[in-house]
Amino acid sequence: MADLQETLGKVIRRERQQRRLTMRELGERAGLSEIYVGEIERGQKYPSARVLESVAAALELEVAELLELVAAELRGASEAARGGNAGLAFGFGMPTPAHNAVGAQEKRAGSSEPLAAHQVLTMAGFSSLLLAGRLGEAAMRRSRSHR
């Protein structure tokens, strides 16, 4: 099973390098130190939701896009560890994109208004969200096929 912290760092590094940015340049754009960017990329630090928002913006990505890239990387590593596309064999396709679910999972007490992503999202919560999306989508497909 792929480590979420390391995978997040790997994706951020790949996206930074594709944009031909140095760690210093990414740090300046995101308001972070070069050292902190390096620690995130090496999987030594868990960035907060606010830091993820800053990094995504610095990479000219939506937070949901960055999280979807991480999810895709995690799925790929998980499938490789199982020896192929076992997730698809069990009927699990691509999960609902994170931007459809983040913030919609929890609501303010007494309000129908979703919380902002930075108020809801934790790394553990993100993992749970992805799993719930995969299981929920599979259940929806099964219920549609039984109609």
Side-chain angles (χ1 to χ4, degrees), residues 55-106:
V55 169
L59 293 169
E60 298 178 347
L61 293 169
E62 296 291 324
V63 174
E65 291 173 310
L66 178 60
L67 295 177
E68 287 169 348
L69 292 169
V70 172
E73 188 75 30
L74 287 169
R75 280 191 302 274
S78 178
E79 289 172 5
R82 287 192 304 257
N85 58 358
L88 296 175
F90 289 103
F92 299 126
M94 298 294 276
T96 303
H99 67 271
N100 289 340
V102 174
Q105 296 297 316
E106 298 183 25

Side-chain angles (χ1 to χ4, degrees), residues 100-144:
N100 289 340
V102 174
Q105 296 297 316
E106 298 183 25
K107 300 191 182 294
R108 290 190 188 106
S111 170
S112 62
E113 198 113 356
L115 292 171
H118 70 272
Q119 293 172 303
V120 174
L121 191 62
T122 64
M123 289 301 177
F126 174 63
S127 297
S128 298
L129 188 86
L130 290 176
L131 180 59
R134 289 180 106 174
L135 296 175
E137 229 180 74
M140 286 175 54
R141 277 196 303 276
R142 281 192 301 272
S143 71
R144 277 189 234 130

Side-chain angles (χ1 to χ4, degrees), residues 39-51:
E39 290 172 331
I40 292 169
E41 287 188 358
R42 289 187 300 278
Q44 296 171 334
K45 297 283 183 181
Y46 261 123
S48 70
R50 291 216 190 271
V51 169

